[in-house]
Amino acid sequence: MTSQSQGIQQLLQAEKRAKDKLEEAKKRKGKRLRQAKEEATAEIDHYRLQREKDFRNKQTNVMGSQGNLSAKIEEQTTETIRTLTSSYHKNMESMMKKLLSTICDINPEVHPNFRHAA
């Protein structure tokens, strides 16, 4: 009976060792999965940053040329406004005199179709 109980003890010990090894393997697997996930996340972040940098460079190249066009158009608009304002101030006085003289200087005349009743 001693050998039988000793065999059972050995089986129980072997089962316990197997269970411990299994638990340790599960822990290593979980740790490795977390590590792989962290590495993948870091790689994804690096890739995303690189792509965003490339996008910003391309956007700057495209928008830079549009920015130059925008600046030119703004400059032309400002120049046109300045010219029109100058012309307005230069001609305002003479136009006001013409308008006032047309409105205020009334010369009463008999209409050519008017007939005297005589």
Side-chain angles (χ1 to χ4, degrees):
M1 182 128 186
T2 343
S3 75
Q4 198 176 22
S5 84
Q6 197 176 30
I8 292 174
Q9 287 297 324
Q10 286 179 345
L11 282 174
L12 288 173
Q13 287 176 354
E15 186 179 331
K16 185 175 185 303
R17 283 193 308 267
K19 190 176 182 182
D20 289 342
K21 284 185 178 184
L22 186 64
E23 288 296 321
E24 190 172 324
K26 284 182 180 179
K27 287 179 184 177
R28 280 195 314 258
K29 180 182 176 184
K31 183 178 178 182
R32 180 62 189 128
L33 284 173
R34 281 191 302 274
Q35 184 181 7
K37 184 178 180 182
E38 289 172 0
E39 289 172 1
T41 303
E43 190 174 331
I44 289 170
D45 289 341
H46 177 71
Y47 180 75
R48 181 182 299 124
L49 289 173
Q50 183 64 36
R51 297 300 291 174
E52 285 178 0
K53 182 181 175 185
D54 292 344
F55 174 73
R56 280 192 218 101
N57 287 338
K58 288 180 182 180
Q59 187 178 25
T60 302
N61 290 340
V62 171
M63 294 302 286
S65 61
Q66 287 182 353
N68 292 341
L69 290 176
S70 177
K72 286 181 182 179
I73 290 171
E74 185 69 30
E75 185 178 317
Q76 288 174 351
T77 304
T78 305
E79 183 62 32
T80 304
I81 290 172
R82 191 176 308 121
T83 303
L84 290 173
T85 305
S86 166
S87 176
Y88 165 77
H89 287 298
K90 185 171 75 174
N91 297 321
M92 181 183 68
E93 191 66 35
S94 65
M95 283 307 296
M96 289 302 288
K97 284 181 182 177
K98 280 185 182 180
L99 279 173
L100 287 174
S101 69
T102 302
I103 292 171
C104 295
D105 296 342
I106 301 174
N107 294 327
E109 297 176 355
V110 178
H111 196 271
N113 292 336
F114 180 74
R115 294 185 189 161
H116 279 299

